[in-house]
Amino acid sequence: MFLVIEDSSIVQKILKHTFKQQRVEPVLFASTMSEGKKLYEDHKSSLVAALVDISLPDAPRGEMAEYLLDNEVPIVVLTGSDDLEQRQSLLKSGVADYVIKENRFSYQYAVRMLDRLDRNRRLKALVVDDSSTMRQVVAGYLKLQCFSVVEAADGQEGLEILELDSDISLVITDFHMPVMDGFHFVQEIRHRFDKRPLAVIGLSSQEDSDISVQFIKKGANDFLQKPFQQEEFSCRVTNNIEALEQLIALRKQADKDYLTGLNNRRYFVEEGQNLVRKMVSEGTAFSIALMDIDHFKSINDEHGHDAGDAVLTQLADHLENTFSRFHLARYGGEEFALVLPGLDVEKAYGLLDQFRRYVGEQLFILPDDDYLRVSVSTGLASVTSPVGETLEGLLLKADEALYLAKEGGRNLVTLYEPPT
């Protein structure tokens, strides 16, 4: 929940529209300090951040901002004053940002920053610098932006932290450090964690333009010259985090089947190979299954492709509800694939057969409000000998078992039987 304290009804109207437009909610509005304090007391357990005008009828000198800061509420100041001394004083006192009312873009930026503070609460940053003073400054700025922060004194220590903590999404590193400098640290990050989404910002107090170039070439996303202003730091961090979030969203989109929302075949194979290798090396029991909708072509022929799509999406929902803790994907057409870690063939068979019976009891609603019942056939394979087992090999075995299920009359779960 967000709190806005603004005495202008016109500005309130603009902000309400902007919050709605950017889908940032819920938001409470107050026009005076007394109203703001009342709303704070009533909702402080759920309050995330506040947008505050520093000149209010009953608090003309920023008293509302001071009150919220004393109560450790993250604040973005929105004001018509461009007084530099006041701006620097408020930033020094701990406000997250200072936005001047100039045009609609100012209001959009203020709302964006408020939402950013909320999002940042779920993010973790790593600060790497051999100077404890500089680490404290950078960590302090990040905490004002609501990041969780961990610190390291050199690149080697930073790598050790990254190995242990996969939740870190932002790394800020100095150049000159003992043991491992910033260049080698960034190179190692990109080498060891090439598939992990990480934004990296390099820092240096050395006035050498080549340092920024080398940081970027070695894998950093951005560079900041020391000393830097809090607002510049905040803007760079925000831009890099939002670029990272867009990249993550694009990756997720690329990994999903466009119709059902399940993982697609490419992602299933890529992640499944790693999963199978890990389980084989650790000796973990697991099974592989391929599931097919019986007589799916007849559904398309008799009811149309929209009906077929409706059946696929509803079956995908049932699969997701039942098998969400496993590795699941739409493998292609009307076929679905699963890797079932921790389940030997007996347990996997029981779960899949229970799901088969469940599907047979469901009504699948069609676009014309008609309905039909469907059944599924499943081929199941498990590890018989850990040596040389691969995802590809197990999928072939599951496919052979699926073929036998269809040949056996469909609406069956069939186990792969090795040739004698």
Side-chain angles (χ1 to χ4, degrees):
M1 183 175 292
F2 301 99
L3 174 62
V4 176
I5 306 162
E6 168 59 59
D7 63 321
S8 167
S9 59
I10 295 174
V11 173
Q12 276 202 24
K13 186 175 180 180
I14 294 170
L15 287 170
K16 286 176 181 177
H17 174 74
T18 306
F19 275 107
K20 184 177 180 180
Q21 191 178 49
Q22 297 190 22
R23 299 179 181 178
V24 178
E25 57 182 0
V27 188
L28 302 170
F29 283 85
S31 300
T32 64
M33 181 170 178
S34 59
E35 290 176 7
K37 289 174 71 174
K38 177 67 166 57
L39 286 174
Y40 167 75
E41 290 297 332
D42 291 344
H43 301 277
K44 58 185 175 183
S45 62
S46 58
L47 190 63
V48 173
L51 185 63
V52 183
D53 188 353
I54 54 173
S55 180
L56 298 168
D58 55 346
R61 290 179 293 277
E63 292 89 343
M64 187 71 233
E66 291 176 9
Y67 172 80
L68 290 174
L69 286 173
D70 287 342
N71 285 281
E72 299 182 345
V73 178
I75 295 175
V76 175
V77 166
L78 182 65
T79 177
S81 172
D82 61 355
D83 184 283
L84 180 60
E85 185 177 340
Q86 181 185 58
R87 179 178 185 168
Q88 290 175 339
S89 174
L90 282 165
L91 288 168
K92 193 173 182 180
S93 69
V95 303
D97 210 340
Y98 186 101
V99 184
I100 300 172
K101 301 173 186 175
E102 294 178 307
N103 49 46
R104 65 187 177 92
F105 298 109
S106 304
Y107 302 115
Q108 289 172 357
Y109 175 83
V111 171
R112 172 191 165 203
M113 288 307 303
L114 212 61
D115 185 45
R116 185 71 261 163
L117 293 176
D118 183 27
R119 291 173 181 271
N120 288 350
R121 293 189 307 151
R122 296 177 283 277
L123 300 178
K124 187 178 288 188
L126 169 64
V127 179
V128 186
D129 198 308
D130 60 322
S131 165
S132 59
T133 301
M134 196 63 204
R135 287 202 309 272
Q136 187 176 6
V137 169
V138 174
Y141 285 167
L142 288 167
K143 288 173 183 176
L144 287 177
Q145 300 298 314
C146 296
F147 284 91
S148 296
V149 183
V150 290
E151 300 179 24
D154 58 66
Q156 186 60 50
E157 186 182 348
L159 290 174
E160 291 169 3
I161 291 172
L162 287 170
E163 289 281 2
L164 296 172
D165 194 342
S166 61
D167 292 334
I168 293 169
S169 54
L170 172 66
V171 178
I172 299 179
T173 178
D174 190 26
F175 167 48
H176 283 295
M177 296 183 293
V179 186
M180 181 182 289
D181 67 22
F183 287 170
H184 290 96
F185 177 47
V186 173
Q187 283 181 312
E188 282 297 308
I189 287 176
R190 295 313 184 196
H191 173 67
R192 297 191 194 186
F193 313 104
D194 60 318
K195 292 187 178 180
R196 188 190 298 185
L198 280 168
V200 180
I201 300 176
L203 305 176
S204 179
S205 58
Q206 186 172 320
E207 294 185 4
D208 183 346
S209 59
D210 190 56
I211 290 179
S212 62
V213 173
Q214 290 304 315
F215 255 125
I216 302 300
K217 284 187 175 181
K218 294 181 190 306
N221 301 90
D222 207 345
F223 174 80
L224 267 171
Q225 182 74 44
K226 299 178 187 177
F228 43 78
Q229 294 183 359
Q230 177 186 337
E231 288 175 288
E232 180 186 10
F233 178 86
S234 172
C235 288
R236 295 289 185 95
V237 167
T238 296
N239 289 341
N240 279 280
I241 283 294
E242 291 187 345
L244 185 70
E245 289 174 340
Q246 290 170 6
L247 175 62
I248 292 170
L250 286 171
R251 284 185 179 178
K252 285 184 178 178
Q253 188 177 11
D255 292 338
K256 297 297 181 183
D257 172 60
Y258 73 97
L259 177 65
T260 64
L262 297 180
N263 294 326
N264 59 25
R265 180 172 183 156
R266 182 197 62 78
Y267 180 79
F268 177 83
V269 171
E270 184 177 297
E271 292 300 311
Q273 287 172 336
N274 296 330
L275 184 58
V276 166
R277 278 195 293 266
K278 183 174 184 290
M279 290 186 295
V280 167
S281 68
E282 294 175 351
T284 303
F286 70 97
S287 302
I288 302 283
L290 283 176
M291 183 182 297
D292 194 276
I293 300 174
D294 295 329
H295 304 294
F296 185 72
K297 185 177 183 301
S298 298
I299 297 173
N300 281 331
D301 291 345
E302 293 176 24
H303 301 277
H305 287 278
D306 287 346
D309 288 349
V311 170
L312 285 167
T313 54
Q314 289 170 66
L315 179 62
D317 288 342
H318 293 314
L319 282 163
E320 181 68 27
N321 290 336
T322 305
F323 298 100
S324 60
R325 64 191 177 97
F326 300 110
H327 188 47
L328 165 68
R330 182 185 178 193
Y331 200 61
E334 67 274 21
E335 198 168 55
F336 300 85
L338 300 102
V339 179
L340 304 162
L343 298 190
D344 59 23
V345 68
E346 185 177 341
K347 292 179 180 177
Y349 181 92
L351 183 59
L352 290 163
D353 199 53
Q354 182 182 359
F355 181 77
R356 176 193 63 79
R357 293 194 299 271
Y358 169 79
V359 169
E361 296 168 354
Q362 304 308 304
L363 296 179
F364 286 74
I365 309 302
L366 304 184
D368 59 1
D369 292 331
D370 197 1
Y371 65 88
L372 53 80
R373 294 185 186 275
V374 303
S375 63
V376 294
S377 297
T378 304
L380 176 62
S382 64
V383 176
T384 54
S385 172
V387 180
E389 289 284 18
T390 64
L391 177 67
E392 293 83 353
L394 289 166
L395 283 171
L396 287 173
K397 293 175 181 179
D399 192 50
E400 288 183 36
L402 177 58
Y403 175 79
L404 292 175
K406 293 178 181 178
E407 288 291 300
R410 294 183 169 85
N411 194 22
L412 295 170
V413 178
T414 303
L415 305 179
Y416 170 77
E417 297 290 345
T420 55

